[in-house]
Amino acid sequence: MGIDALSPVAPARIRCLLLPSGTIKRSRFLTFVERLQQESTVRLGDVSPNTKSQRNMFSPLAFPTGLAIYDMTTVSPSSSYLALAPFELYREPLVVIGIADGLSSFPEKDTAAAISLSADSDGTSNGRSNSGDFSETIGWLKDQYPRALVHQVFIFDCDGRVLSSSSDVILVPSLKNSKTTTMKTLMCDLTALLLIEMTSYAKSLQALPTIETPKSPQDQRASGDYTHNSNPQLDKDPRPESRISRTPTSRSSSPAANGERMYQRDSVPSQMYAAATDDTDERSTSRPPLNGYRTPPVALDQTNGASEAQQPSLDKERLRRLSRDRVALQGFGSGSVGERARNKANGRKGVVLGSLYLLAGRWPDALKELIEGATVARGLGDHVWHAKALDYILVCLLICAWAGMDFEIPQICYPLGDKTSPGLGKTPKHNSLNSIPDLTPLKSPNAANRLVSLQNLCNLLPDLANNILHLYVRAATFTADQLPQISYSESAIRFAKLLTIIENAHGSLDDQGLQLVVLNVDTNKRPTTIPSHLASFPTKAEVAGVLLKALPSSATESSLDMNDRVNILAGIASVLAKLGYHRKKAFIMRELVIILLPALIQSRKDSAAELGVHPAASLSSHELIGNVKEFEEASRPQQGSVVGIQSFLSLMCEVYGVVFSAKAEKLLHTHVSAETHHKDPDGNSIMRLDSLDLIVGCIIEDASTRSFGDSSLKVDVLRLCINICEALPDIPGILRFSSDLLKTAASGIAPGPESRDGSPALPMEDQARLLSNISRTVGAARKFSIGNSDAEYWDDFLVRGIEITRTSTLKSPSPRKRTHLDNGATFGSDTKDGPFIYNPFGTKSGSTAIEPLLVVGEEATFSILCQNLFDFDLDIEWIRLDTIDGSVDSSANNLMIGPYRTQSFQLVGAPKLSGVLRIVGCLVKVKGCRERRFPIFRSSWKGITEAKFKHLGLSTAVVIDERSESSVSEAARPRREITTRGPVTATLDVKVIGPQPNVVVQKTSLSQSAMMLLEGETKRFTMTLRNISYNTPVDILSLSFTDSATSTLQHALTNKGLSPSELYEVELVSYQKETLKWLHEDCNREVKIAPNENLSLEIEVVGKPGLTYGSIYIDYGYLGVDKAEAMNEFFTRQISFPFTITVNPSINLVRNDFLPFTGDFAWLNQKKNLGSGESARNTPPDRRSRATSRLTPKPENRFQSLLERLGLGAHGSDHFLLLLDFHNSWPKPLSISVQVREKTTVQEPIPTDLWKRAYTAHEVLQPDQTSRLVLLLPRIFLANPYAPIPSLNPTTKRQFIHSSSTAFDNETERSAREAFWLREDILKLMRASWTEDATGRTGQIELRTLRLTARMVDAIKLEDVGIDLTIKADSMFETDPEMASPVTQLARSVFHVPVDAFLTLNATVTNRLQTPIYPLLRLQPSLRNQPYNVALDLGRKFAFNGLLQQALPLLQPGESTEVQLGVVFLAGGEFEIRASIEEVRIWKDPTVGKANGGADDAADLGMSRLLDRIERRAWQSREPCIVHAIGDA
């Protein structure tokens, strides 16, 4: 948000006036202004103090944490604002900056000459200009704005140019050449200069005898004093010779005189400089004379023809006379009138000085001066200055609170505070050092104290604001000091705005509220709880009462000019909007428009008179219309703000209940979900919307709005808006509000055939006048090429019906949906009966053909019924059918509807595309209105007025339509639910198809349409299709199949008693193992059959048990486009080919078994592969021979080659044995082959052929023979053994299968799921086939008959946590290679060790889980093959160094940790060491509860949580570590 001119802390802002200087574009000027506004807050600690000058009264060193806040404005203050100084110094600009563009060229006769920047030796800009080229600009600024303290010119983007020196011209480099601190440094330098000048200004104020209270314009006119109310633009030196530049010699010859004239301001009388003449040297050194320019005189006697040479003597004589008068008033005692006047003057000076400290950011000094000034003013009954001091104190406290400082509320702010008389002996001169000792309102920051102070300030604010306003009124009643109305009104607005901010925050003032108060930055964060003290805070009505005090009375209204009245009313309307009083706001806004209208009309008349045209014909004048484009650009609403005359007037009209015609257009352009573009007859693009709910929502909301408020008042407000727009002139506004007036006056109904209540609430003459005004305005806009030159049509019920009067019939093929093309070569089914297009066992459904039906390219006649409820002829430029995809050519031009009637038109159109032609309405271009879409409203509709009023005020004007909730505006105001139904939109759906081909089955390779095959065998046959059409090709072809085996499985799917694993098997065979399949070379290539051409299809058949017949269904059609561009629905025809199938049995898997297998073979292979020759040499010969004979397989063992590879890959050393029994049911010998591959790991790259490195087991089975094959497979680890069993049925929406058993048990479900996933992993590692050697026939053996028991599962699965135990020698044997290790490893877990040797027991723990664990390792040594009580008696046989039970750190997934324990075997024998891991505590996933997983596991989320184990787990080592301790012989 920008700076608020009526901010509660406006007195703390330094007004800085920014003016364009030289030749500069508006866009460039605004860009430079934005750069300055970004650095509008300057910290005093960053400002360099003035060490050379004595003018350091406002030195930043006194309070470095203070802030100087600038109000950057480009608008010159009015005369009424300047008349309030020095009473309110913040109103007049203390700093005037001329902004120049360094890139622009200046004419020689312009006020600023061509510029160039000086550069240092290194080529960089020095940041200062150096010439008198801009001296005239500086002089002009000082001449035009003599009240300002600082006058400077900022030249932006002046890289690479040179000027001679001048301290008043600042060079600002371009943005790309600027540093981050460039602008901040410039603002700090500007602030330093301002603080110096403020010192001189403050001392001049202190030298005044007194400071008068500003007078109202009536008082000034009565007394003849126009000094403070004069326009600063008129306060120029009338003598032309004062503009002539003086020579440097003349400027430097009399520095004292120049300094004396330089400090003279219009804000104070000229007598104030008498006491400051002794400070001439200081002024001359700190501020040099400015080229002979002097501040223009203020007093009337200074401008009555006095020459420049006589003026100093006159000033001195007047000062001496005033000095004698001031001495004559002294010496009459403390209670005398003179002493009282001096004390009052001192109090007023203190208030002004405090305001200067406040502007300078010296808040502690400001507070001290203001407290003293308020005390003096209260004691002396100076009510105006007492109130102003309290106002400044409040601003100071708010600023301190915003800055995060701790403060205390002064006692003077409380209405019942200390009323002791102020000290009368205080000297009139004050500075930053002589503050009052006992006033310490500011302390070091303390959060608790600050919150308490803030709350106390909130509680005090209502009384303080009322007290200040009461003092202003009391001063006007009992004293001669009557405050001007502008000051009183703005004070009331500022207080009301502050109270509103606190009231909206539930009676509290926090950091967010302070940001809004000081910087006008709204964070949209409001307290969620209402404080307990809310009842004591004023209500909204009481705050509004304070605000409405700002309204000028009839007596004081004449004293305000139009600008002041507009500012006051605008401020009141803004605060009323924040309070939620929208109707009061609208009333104030209407008064504001009434004030503006005469001035705008007069301005239009004056402009027309200058051009010599009649004011009524000004819209036809090129000179008056020439700046409309610039006006539209300037008043266009910016992002995040409401700017512009149309937005302003819309806010007012909305509260009065005006029905906006542009509302539908806004919704159509901002809520587009699926838009396309149409073209009108001229080729222009038109945007349309598929959904009709938005238009219906607008109609419902308009009906509710139409029932709210008084219709005559709405008409008056809209006429006022039209007059305002015509006076500007604003052509888009004229068109908009003219349409709004027609729409608001319209009945807003769709009348029935016999209805007579549809007439608008406007006389016939007014209707015709508005239509003529729209036509005339549109013509003028198009003449001068002004954008947005079309009005919005005012009746949403233009189209009342569309019908087809003539069409052709055509036999409809079978309809298909767009999803059928996405399924590939086979068309799926949308029903839940199965995945087939045609199911002979299913229930036949009736025809779903939709009539009428059209053909591509064939014309049809449409009848369109339109209505016109107004009393004028409605001209329609063109009308077209509005369809979903624009696939129809139709248009009718130059139509006319008579007044108040319904009329039908005939329109001829031909569809261009096949599919569904949905006509949703018409696209109509009414003369003078923009083209827009009109839905079809066949039935009558009228908004029903509520019989019982349940809502009052604005809540009756805002509704929520349940059918189109997204289309209603989301304004933050009361809402109610709709009680009536909206109008029903109608659509006309027409089926459109293109030419369709005809295809027949010409021949097949089957004999008598029959074939025979074995189980698992695959056979193929061919069939030939012929397109017998003459000119229509086939570009879409799809095959689907049915067979007896699949039909049986489909019937089995209806059995609700199947377990999840059984249901998975049935779905797998049904949906993934196809019995019939179409083989074509390129699946992605589209199949096409040209007219009178053939196509051969190859079909593959797989033998399955129960297969007796099959049918092939061929769907074909013609799309004419690519599949990706096809419509949602198309048409195909279908032919079928049935045939008979005979399947005989072959090889069957009858039984299976799983057995554990030792890992010693893998260990031995790994040992050999690592070159264990050295360890073998250390082994005694007798032991080495025994181990070799036990582990090495015999040569005739057929597993020898397989065993030699165990443990050499990346698949681990744990395996299991699989026993499979196969039976041959075919009367001929069959050879079987079973392949087993290793399981791939994540680290291992996936080979192109997974079965390339698989080993194969062969066997020949004679007829009716059963044989067993023994296979070796790696053990399997399941990361998620309890994962849900998925569903493979594509016709259902479920992703997983849940157990339907009534006796559901968690343990049973866990076991079933674990067995299911182990079985799936095993089947992925194996495949089997059979071959008949005599004939060469081959087939696949079905292995999915494998079954697992709990014993088999234990042999297959790999433990979640692996524990490996090994014995190693002491580290000394590893460091010395010459020493032989005393430890001999005979197998993976068998070791030979000597007695009394220091050994190390290594326990390696591996976490294979997907979650971390907190492990606790337990080691349990014992004697082998001994009773339990003897086995644990190891006191003299085994010693260890450490703990047998110890907690391990958190073990992440996939990590391993190793634990070492020093052991010594004290006696010979066989020992056994076992290990176990116990979970110390359960690890909890911090993400649980934040995300419920993806869509795939959402359906089984509850079951997975039910099956998860929540108790601590324990794992045992699979095999113990066996140690043979051998003593000395």
Side-chain angles (χ1 to χ4, degrees), residues 14 70 94-95 149-150 190-199:
I14 303 171
Y70 286 89
L94 300 181
V95 179
L149 300 180
V150 177
L190 180 68
T191 304
L193 182 59
L194 176 63
L195 295 179
I196 294 175
E197 298 300 328
M198 289 177 68
T199 301

Side-chain angles (χ1 to χ4, degrees), residues 695-772:
I695 299 178
V696 174
C698 290
I699 293 175
I700 297 174
E701 186 173 354
D702 291 344
S704 178
T705 305
R706 190 174 281 108
S707 63
F708 165 74
D710 183 76
S711 58
S712 60
L713 189 58
K714 298 178 186 179
V715 172
D716 293 341
V717 170
L718 286 172
R719 285 174 176 168
L720 187 61
C721 295
I722 295 174
N723 294 335
I724 283 287
C725 294
E726 288 180 346
L728 286 174
D730 180 12
I731 288 181
I734 297 173
L735 296 176
R736 175 181 176 180
F737 291 110
S738 297
S739 298
D740 291 345
L741 181 52
L742 288 173
K743 189 165 187 175
T744 302
S747 59
I749 66 173
E754 304 297 332
S755 178
R756 297 182 179 274
D757 55 354
S759 300
L762 273 180
M764 184 183 303
E765 295 79 8
D766 291 348
Q767 299 179 35
R769 189 181 300 108
L770 285 173
L771 183 64
S772 175

Side-chain angles (χ1 to χ4, degrees), residues 781-848:
R782 292 179 179 177
K783 177 180 178 181
F784 301 108
S785 302
I786 298 177
N788 299 327
S789 58
D790 288 329
E792 184 73 21
Y793 189 67
W794 41 86
D795 187 8
D796 295 320
F797 299 97
L798 178 63
V799 179
R800 297 301 305 274
I802 300 178
E803 295 180 353
I804 298 178
T805 58
R806 183 177 58 84
T807 182
S808 60
T809 59
L810 184 65
K811 183 179 180 181
S812 300
S814 300
R816 302 297 177 196
K817 293 187 177 181
R818 178 68 178 82
T819 55
H820 296 157
L821 292 177
D822 298 334
N823 292 335
T826 302
F827 287 163
S829 176
D830 292 337
T831 63
K832 295 185 178 181
D833 296 335
F836 311 102
I837 292 180
Y838 174 74
N839 186 1
F841 301 98
T843 303
K844 296 183 179 180
S845 58
S847 176
T848 58

Side-chain angles (χ1 to χ4, degrees), residues 972-1216:
R973 52 188 178 184
R975 297 177 176 268
R976 66 178 177 91
E977 295 184 357
I978 188 170
T979 58
T980 59
R981 293 184 57 188
V984 179
T985 59
T987 59
L988 181 62
D989 294 336
V990 183
K991 290 288 184 180
V992 180
I993 62 173
Q996 296 294 319
N998 293 323
V999 177
V1000 296
V1001 179
Q1002 190 174 24
K1003 62 179 179 179
T1004 65
S1005 61
L1006 294 179
S1007 177
Q1008 298 180 355
S1009 300
M1011 65 184 308
M1012 189 278 294
L1013 65 164
L1014 299 177
E1015 290 182 6
E1017 185 181 5
T1018 301
K1019 281 189 177 182
R1020 300 177 181 179
F1021 70 94
T1022 60
M1023 59 186 306
T1024 303
L1025 305 179
R1026 182 173 180 82
N1027 183 9
I1028 61 176
S1029 301
Y1030 293 102
N1031 53 9
T1032 305
V1034 175
D1035 59 359
I1036 177 173
L1037 184 68
S1038 176
L1039 272 67
S1040 58
F1041 311 94
T1042 60
D1043 59 84
S1044 57
T1046 307
S1047 300
T1048 304
L1049 294 173
Q1050 289 293 318
H1051 180 70
L1053 289 176
T1054 60
N1055 186 5
K1056 301 299 183 181
L1058 293 178
S1059 64
S1061 58
E1062 292 173 345
L1063 187 58
Y1064 177 85
E1065 293 297 327
V1066 175
E1067 293 179 347
L1068 179 66
V1069 177
S1070 301
Y1071 304 126
Q1072 294 189 1
K1073 294 191 174 183
E1074 301 174 347
T1075 304
L1076 302 175
K1077 185 178 181 181
W1078 176 25
L1079 301 178
H1080 45 119
E1081 297 177 356
D1082 190 0
C1083 298
N1084 297 325
R1085 183 176 61 87
E1086 296 183 357
V1087 179
K1088 296 184 179 180
I1089 308 176
N1092 298 319
E1093 295 293 336
N1094 298 336
L1095 177 65
S1096 296
L1097 304 178
E1098 187 177 8
I1099 307 300
E1100 182 182 79
V1101 184
V1102 180
K1104 291 184 179 180
L1107 183 60
T1108 58
Y1109 69 89
S1111 297
I1112 303 175
Y1113 297 93
I1114 303 170
D1115 291 87
Y1116 64 93
Y1118 174 67
L1119 290 176
V1121 295
D1122 294 336
K1123 292 183 179 180
E1125 301 176 359
M1127 297 179 60
N1128 291 333
E1129 189 172 13
F1130 58 96
F1131 298 86
T1132 62
R1133 288 174 177 165
Q1134 186 183 86
I1135 59 175
S1136 63
F1137 174 71
F1139 61 99
T1140 305
I1141 306 174
T1142 302
V1143 179
N1144 294 319
S1146 57
I1147 300 295
N1148 298 322
L1149 177 62
V1150 294
R1151 68 180 62 87
N1152 63 275
D1153 196 3
F1154 297 86
L1155 299 175
F1157 187 73
T1158 181
D1160 292 340
F1161 291 95
W1163 170 81
L1164 183 59
N1165 294 333
Q1166 294 173 355
K1167 185 175 181 181
K1168 290 180 180 180
N1169 187 48
L1170 295 176
S1172 58
E1174 296 182 1
S1175 62
R1177 286 193 299 268
N1178 295 332
T1179 305
D1182 55 344
R1183 298 175 186 169
R1184 185 167 60 247
S1185 61
R1186 289 197 301 270
T1188 305
S1189 62
R1190 183 167 64 87
L1191 297 178
T1192 303
K1194 297 180 180 181
E1196 61 273 11
N1197 193 341
R1198 64 179 180 177
F1199 294 104
Q1200 180 177 0
S1201 60
L1202 176 61
L1203 295 177
E1204 289 177 355
R1205 294 189 301 170
L1206 293 180
L1208 300 182
H1211 313 293
S1213 58
D1214 294 328
H1215 292 75
F1216 65 91

Side-chain angles (χ1 to χ4, degrees), residues 6 22 64 82 90 208 254 263 273 298 319 345 361 396 535 559 718 787 882 895 911 1023 1082 1109 1111 1132 1280 1315:
L6 297 177
L82 296 177
Y90 67 92
L208 287 175
S254 179
Y263 293 109
Y273 300 100
V298 180
L319 293 177
C396 191
S559 64
L718 286 172
D882 184 20
L895 306 177
M1023 59 186 306
D1082 190 0
Y1109 69 89
S1111 297
T1132 62
N1280 188 9

Side-chain angles (χ1 to χ4, degrees), residues 8 60 105 138 169 181 250 471 565 675 739 989 1250-1251 1313 1415:
S105 59
I138 297 296
V169 179
T181 59
S250 63
L471 287 174
R565 295 172 62 190
E675 63 181 34
S739 298
D989 294 336
L1250 296 176
W1251 301 96
R1313 291 190 178 188

